[in-house]
Amino acid sequence: MTTRITLAFAQQFLEENFAPWIIDLKPKLMIYQNGVAQMDIPISSHIQRVGEIVCGQAMGALADTCMVFACFSHMDKLIPVATVTLDTQFLRPATGTVLSCKAKVERAGKAIFFLSATLITKPNDKVVAKSTATFYLAQ
């Protein structure tokens, strides 16, 4: 019987292995299963620009990181993947207390993964951005 990677173990892996500036966003994995990941970060002045709007760089970093964990959950392995493409459409200003990203694997080949992600702000639950990406399985 295979031991599945737990949400807690994936969170620990994130905290111990990702770049310090990603960890500075205080990402918290909320969902990690079957090719889906959800990750939340608090909205603070640390990631806001003029007008108390979340900067696009933070939104892109959250989407990319969350999609990496969707890949991991699809494989049920923590094997490095490399971002090949990342496309983000910013739909409205992101304001609130939490920025949440839910990502899913749309298709997985032998070496390439295709993913989509939706970013919402809480507490208003407004969709603020959508992302798509491809990742290469770097074995």
Side-chain angles (χ1 to χ4, degrees):
M1 184 157 111
T2 305
T3 303
R4 299 199 58 86
I5 296 168
T6 65
L7 179 72
F9 187 83
Q11 179 71 37
Q12 180 181 348
F13 182 84
L14 167 66
E15 293 169 4
E16 293 175 356
N17 292 281
F18 278 65
W21 66 272
I22 294 294
I23 302 309
D24 285 349
L25 296 173
K26 298 181 173 65
K28 176 151 175 61
L29 271 166
M30 309 303 287
I31 298 172
Y32 178 83
Q33 61 187 17
N34 304 320
V36 175
Q38 181 179 326
M39 191 174 284
D40 291 357
I41 61 172
I43 294 176
S44 68
S45 60
H46 186 64
I47 61 169
Q48 291 172 320
R49 63 173 184 80
V50 174
E52 297 184 348
I53 297 167
V54 177
C55 67
Q57 296 90 335
M59 295 169 72
L62 175 61
D64 184 76
T65 305
C66 189
M67 287 190 273
V68 166
F69 277 85
C71 288
F72 291 164
S73 75
H74 175 81
M75 296 182 291
D76 200 33
K77 297 177 183 173
L78 300 171
I79 299 173
V81 293
T83 307
V84 176
T85 65
L86 176 63
D87 183 42
T88 303
Q89 299 82 42
F90 301 100
L91 306 173
R92 67 174 57 237
T95 60
T97 59
V98 173
L99 180 63
S100 181
C101 180
K102 188 170 187 180
K104 68 177 181 173
V105 174
E106 298 290 348
R107 182 178 179 285
K110 291 180 182 176
I112 298 286
F113 292 85
F114 299 86
L115 290 96
S116 65
T118 302
L119 291 92
I120 66 165
T121 50
K122 296 178 182 178
N124 59 14
D125 293 325
K126 300 262 186 189
V127 175
V128 295
K130 292 195 173 253
S131 290
T132 57
T134 54
F135 291 86
Y136 175 72
L137 180 59
Q139 289 192 33

